[in-house]
Amino acid sequence: MKPIIPENERSTEPLDTDMVIYHPDMKRANEWVLTEYEPPVRDFCIFVPCAKKKPYHESPSHKIFDRLIFGILEPEMVHIVVFGTCGVTPRELDTQYPFMDYQFMMGKCNVSKIKRDFILMESKRLARYLEKTKNNYKHRIAYCIGDFRTAMEKAVEMTSISVTIVPKIETIERNIQPGKSFVFGSLNQKDYLQDLAEAISKPLGRQVIEVKGKEEIINDNDWYVL
């Protein structure tokens, strides 16, 4: 696949600061996704947060997500789309610049204006992607917490396109950790993953698998939000 942004057209601005959401190449790459990218037709679209390790599909968090998702669905049934600091990124593009190259973790940003701008920008991008793909997927699931979840909720409000957002509110409230750096904990917790398994299984009319094993807290934190 040809580069989204040819090397000789790339900005010299850094991709490792809290200004990454305003970076011209991040904006350009997201605009390409929203206008020129041709999404596949699948039974499911599952939105998952971006990760510190690149490419996303090799990150510890995404490997955990994949074990659950592909333990229920055949690969040809699902399209995985990454969102968050990267904007909106179909995961098959995760080796492309600039999605492979930025380093800043939005979940660690404490600048109120940037957080507000992120939610505004991301919700609009997600809404555009939902509209663009409204005839591509039968079912849509978003697995997210914190500001990423807020952006997805706003996108759903803008479009009235149905997205099942998990973990459930009651599950999140049960797992809040006051005083911790990441009050919502890790998306790799057993309770959260169980909600994801249920959201995937329910439209299929299947019995929900039980997520087994110890809760995993891994150091792959850029989708955590304070």
Side-chain angles (χ1 to χ4, degrees):
M1 180 179 178
K2 61 188 293 187
I4 296 172
I5 303 176
E7 192 168 350
N8 64 341
E9 297 179 13
R10 296 173 187 175
S11 170
T12 57
E13 292 184 25
L15 281 160
D16 59 355
T17 74
D18 59 5
M19 301 298 285
V20 69
I21 63 170
Y22 311 109
H23 194 285
D25 291 347
M26 293 294 277
K27 289 184 175 181
R28 180 176 172 183
N30 270 271
E31 190 62 25
W32 181 90
V33 168
L34 295 169
T35 56
E36 298 185 45
Y37 168 75
E38 296 185 9
V41 174
R42 297 283 190 270
D43 288 345
F44 286 81
C45 177
I46 300 182
F47 295 89
V48 295
C50 54
K52 179 180 180 181
K53 180 176 172 58
K54 315 296 189 304
Y56 306 128
H57 71 272
E58 293 183 0
S59 72
S61 59
H62 281 233
K63 287 181 178 179
I64 290 171
F65 303 157
D66 284 0
R67 283 200 297 272
L68 188 151
I69 292 168
F70 296 120
I72 303 171
L73 300 174
E74 297 297 326
E76 61 270 18
M77 295 176 67
V78 59
H79 186 213
I80 296 178
V81 177
V82 183
F83 75 110
T85 310
C86 59
V88 181
T89 309
R91 201 174 65 176
E92 70 270 23
L93 303 177
D94 70 358
T95 59
Q96 281 266 10
Y97 172 90
F99 308 128
M100 178 78 177
D101 300 83
Y102 72 93
Q103 297 299 321
F104 184 73
M105 299 186 295
M106 185 55 59
K108 293 187 176 181
C109 178
N110 292 315
V111 181
S112 296
K113 180 185 183 304
I114 292 176
K115 289 168 72 70
R116 288 195 302 268
D117 286 353
F118 165 74
I119 291 172
L120 177 63
M121 294 166 65
E122 186 67 355
S123 60
K124 289 180 177 179
R125 285 172 175 161
L126 287 166
R128 288 177 64 188
Y129 188 83
L130 291 175
E131 290 284 5
K132 175 186 175 79
T133 60
K134 61 184 176 181
N135 296 319
N136 290 72
Y137 314 122
K138 294 179 182 177
H139 311 286
R140 299 166 188 81
I141 298 168
Y143 190 51
C144 48
I145 51 180
D147 288 349
F148 291 9
R149 186 187 188 96
T150 300
M152 180 62 75
E153 289 171 341
K154 289 182 177 296
V156 171
E157 291 174 3
M158 291 178 200
T159 62
S160 297
I161 293 174
S162 178
V163 179
T164 299
I165 303 177
V166 287
K168 301 172 185 176
I169 294 295
E170 56 267 31
T171 307
I172 294 173
E173 290 176 346
R174 190 168 64 245
N175 285 277
I176 284 177
Q177 304 174 64
K180 298 289 187 179
S181 296
F182 304 111
V183 296
F184 301 119
S186 165
L187 276 176
N188 297 302
Q189 293 181 88
K190 181 179 177 181
D191 283 359
Y192 289 171
L193 291 168
Q194 190 67 57
D195 282 358
L196 177 59
E198 179 180 329
I200 298 170
S201 301
K202 189 173 181 180
L204 300 171
R206 297 181 186 173
Q207 183 177 353
V208 181
I209 64 170
E210 181 182 354
V211 176
K212 298 183 181 294
K214 296 172 65 176
E215 295 179 357
E216 293 191 65
I217 307 298
I218 60 174
N219 191 22
D220 193 26
N221 295 334
D222 68 335
W223 41 262
Y224 286 121
V225 183
L226 300 177

